């Protein structure tokens, strides 16, 4: 006690207020309420229900008013503005991303903001084309599938189950160039040898497992303050098999549980990290004659636009549920208010219940 009293005040503040970190997880590409937190879906998300929701503030109505394509919707979540670009174009978001606000306002290095993204089509999500931002101010982007392709080129093992790039347009092969994390950096930055990476990939059953494996390595070795992980396995629903869709949800639930555990056990994250989990949007209703139910997200009906948000960890009230409508674009202003940067061009409003 004596030593604590005689330490300078700035050292006490540093000791008692560890640096705030935020991890954002997008819960699969398109998940409906009825297969997740609604009573009939809760059996599919045992980890969220038992481990996370009791410790979380939960919002039952998050409305996405934008375009329901995965890249453009995830980019909108990351800018706080409904982006309007073609979902299948190799373009950057037009409005500044949360990563740029964070790094510019707080003067953070590139090692402090990272994205782990599910498909090559997301390679430009880390940095906008906005003239006051962009250009070296964004997040570093890891595309685990691209790393695996590079690591196994010429190899005999079949990794096809991990390499399928997206579930909507199998023939879309985006132009990947610039900004993304390269294979050669695995060893240098993540302290993971290409051989270990390849060997470990053999034991993984899905692309999202590969993403979480990389994310955990990143947490251990780099410990970024702002980490964004986009999960995508659920979008296998486009193939039309309900069982695969449910399997995707159950896996995503399990991986969220693993990330929550990692946050609580990694010394750099334990006690100072807030976790946000939300789907990018829902999927079509079974009742809409214009769609095929869970298979797609084409009708733009209320069910496909309405989803949920779970916030847990540092500074967040436990076991609280709010039914008021929150907007998808509220995420970035909330992160800004929480971490101390100003997302001046974002459209949404900070979600006061978690601040
Ligand atoms: Zn989809």
């Amino acid at each position: 006690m004596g030593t604590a009293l005689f330490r300078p005040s700035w050292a006490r503040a540093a000791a008692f207020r560890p640096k705030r970190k935020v991890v954002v997880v997008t819960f699969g590409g398109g998940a409906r309420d009825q297969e997740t937190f609604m009573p009939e879906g809760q059996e599919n998300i045992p980890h969220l229900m038992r481990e996370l929701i009791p410790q979380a503030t939960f919002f039952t109505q998050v409305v996405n008013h934008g375009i329901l394509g995965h890249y453009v919707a995830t980019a909108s979540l990351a800018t706080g503005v409904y982006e309007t670009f073609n979902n299948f174009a190799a373009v950057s978001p037009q409005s500044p991303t949360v990563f740029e606000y964070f790094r510019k306002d707080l003067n953070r290095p590139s090692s402090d903001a990272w994205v782990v993204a599910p498909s090559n089509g997301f390679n430009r999500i880390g940095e906008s084309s906005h003239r006051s931002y962009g250009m070296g101010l964004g997040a570093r982007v890891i595309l685990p599938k691209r790393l695996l392709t590079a690591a196994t080129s010429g190899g005999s093992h079949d990794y096809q189950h991990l390499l399928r790039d997206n579930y909507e347009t199998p023939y879309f092969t985006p132009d990947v160039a610039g900004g993304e994390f390269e294979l050669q950096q695995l060893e240098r930055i993540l302290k993971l040898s290409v051989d270990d990476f390849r060997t470990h990939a053999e034991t993984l059953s899905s692309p999202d497992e590969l993403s979480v494996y990389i994310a955990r390595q990143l947490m251990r070795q780099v410990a970024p303050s702002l980490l964004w992980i986009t999960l995508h396995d659920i979008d296998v629903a486009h193939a039309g098999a309900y069982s695969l869709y449910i399997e995707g949800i159950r896996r995503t639930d399990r991986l969220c549980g693993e990330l929550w555990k990692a946050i609580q056990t990694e010394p750099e994250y334990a006690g100072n990290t807030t976790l946000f989990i939300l789907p990018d949007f829902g999927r079509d209703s079974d009742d809409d004659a214009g769609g095929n139910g869970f298979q797609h997200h084409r009708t733009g009906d209320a069910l496909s636009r309405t989803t949920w948000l779970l916030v847990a960890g540092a500074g967040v009230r436990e076991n609280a549920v709010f039914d008021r409508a929150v907007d998808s674009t509220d995420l970035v202003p909330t992160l800004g208010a929480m971490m101390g940067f100003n997302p001046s061009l974002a459209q949404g409003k900070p979600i006061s219940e978690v601040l």
Side-chain angles (χ1 to χ4, degrees):
M1 191 171 169
T3 45
L5 278 175
F6 288 104
R7 263 189 295 172
S9 61
W10 59 265
R12 279 204 302 274
F16 292 125
R17 293 182 52 208
K19 199 171 59 169
R20 183 71 163 264
K21 291 187 189 289
V22 163
V23 177
V24 177
V25 179
T26 64
F27 190 91
R32 301 195 296 193
D33 289 357
Q34 69 208 71
E35 283 90 20
T36 54
F37 85 91
M38 296 289 273
E40 66 269 34
Q42 291 177 2
E43 62 177 8
N44 301 322
I45 53 166
H47 294 276
L48 291 192
M49 290 305 299
R50 287 186 218 132
E51 294 154 26
L52 273 146
I53 287 180
Q55 298 183 56
T57 293
F58 191 84
F59 297 86
T60 62
Q61 265 201 84
V62 179
V63 184
N64 184 325
H65 294 99
I67 302 172
L68 304 186
H70 301 291
Y71 174 44
V72 67
T74 307
S76 302
L77 284 176
T79 59
V81 173
Y82 288 115
E83 297 283 323
T84 55
F85 59 80
N86 172 1
N87 188 53
F88 296 109
V91 295
S92 300
Q94 288 166 320
S95 302
T97 61
V98 64
F99 318 110
E100 293 156 80
Y101 291 126
F102 164 71
R103 286 195 49 211
K104 191 174 181 181
D105 283 5
L106 302 181
N107 195 23
R108 302 304 308 169
S110 65
S111 58
D112 214 23
W114 287 76
V115 176
V116 181
S119 80
N120 295 345
F122 279 63
N123 71 312
R124 288 178 170 80
I125 198 165
E127 189 167 287
S128 72
S129 57
H130 195 278
R131 67 174 66 175
S132 304
Y133 292 85
M135 292 302 286
L137 276 174
R140 307 196 65 171
V141 178
I142 297 197
L143 307 170
K145 287 179 204 176
R146 183 168 155 79
L147 292 182
L148 189 61
T149 310
T152 58
S153 60
S156 56
H157 201 283
D158 180 9
Y159 293 93
Q160 289 314 305
H161 66 293
L162 295 182
L163 292 176
R164 183 156 176 194
D165 198 53
N166 77 70
Y167 299 103
E168 284 178 289
T169 56
Y171 303 109
F172 173 59
T173 49
D175 164 32
V176 178
E180 73 275 1
F181 184 89
E182 296 291 346
L183 188 65
Q184 299 81 335
Q185 300 174 311
L186 265 184
E187 193 138 22
R188 188 165 59 82
I189 300 177
L190 298 192
K191 312 279 185 266
L192 177 64
S193 78
V194 173
D195 277 346
D196 285 347
F197 173 59
R198 202 164 36 210
T199 306
H200 206 93
E202 279 180 40
T203 68
L204 301 176
S205 58
S206 87
D208 284 351
E209 277 192 300
L210 184 62
S211 291
V212 169
Y213 172 62
I214 286 286
R216 293 194 58 177
Q217 200 73 19
L218 195 57
M219 290 170 73
R220 201 166 302 138
Q221 301 298 344
V222 187
S225 300
L226 181 54
L227 172 60
W228 184 292
I229 304 161
T230 288
L231 301 176
H232 201 64
D233 283 356
I234 293 171
D235 207 37
V236 70
H238 287 294
Y242 190 74
S243 60
L244 291 180
Y245 167 55
I246 296 298
E247 194 185 298
I249 290 174
R250 297 190 68 97
R251 185 182 308 119
T252 307
D253 170 69
R254 172 170 58 77
L255 293 172
C256 286
E258 281 179 25
L259 285 166
W260 179 233
K261 266 195 207 98
I263 285 170
Q264 291 169 305
T265 52
E266 285 296 336
E268 287 280 334
Y269 289 85
N272 60 345
T273 305
T274 309
L275 170 67
F276 288 73
I277 303 176
L278 76 169
D280 49 0
F281 44 76
R283 309 188 79 87
D284 292 339
S285 138
D286 293 331
D287 305 326
D288 192 319
N292 276 329
F294 76 92
Q295 190 175 358
H296 301 302
H297 37 86
R298 291 176 177 164
T299 64
D301 64 359
L303 202 66
S304 60
R305 294 195 172 281
T306 310
T307 179
W308 48 265
L309 165 68
L310 185 159
V311 191
V316 176
R317 218 186 316 172
E318 296 190 354
N319 208 12
V321 177
F322 294 96
D323 292 321
R324 75 167 177 95
V326 168
D327 198 288
S328 287
T329 56
D330 293 341
L331 176 65
V332 169
T334 306
L335 299 180
M338 194 172 268
M339 299 183 88
F341 56 86
N342 177 24
S344 52
L345 299 169
Q347 290 166 342
K349 293 188 204 70
I351 302 171
S352 57
E353 293 91 334
V354 296
L355 296 173

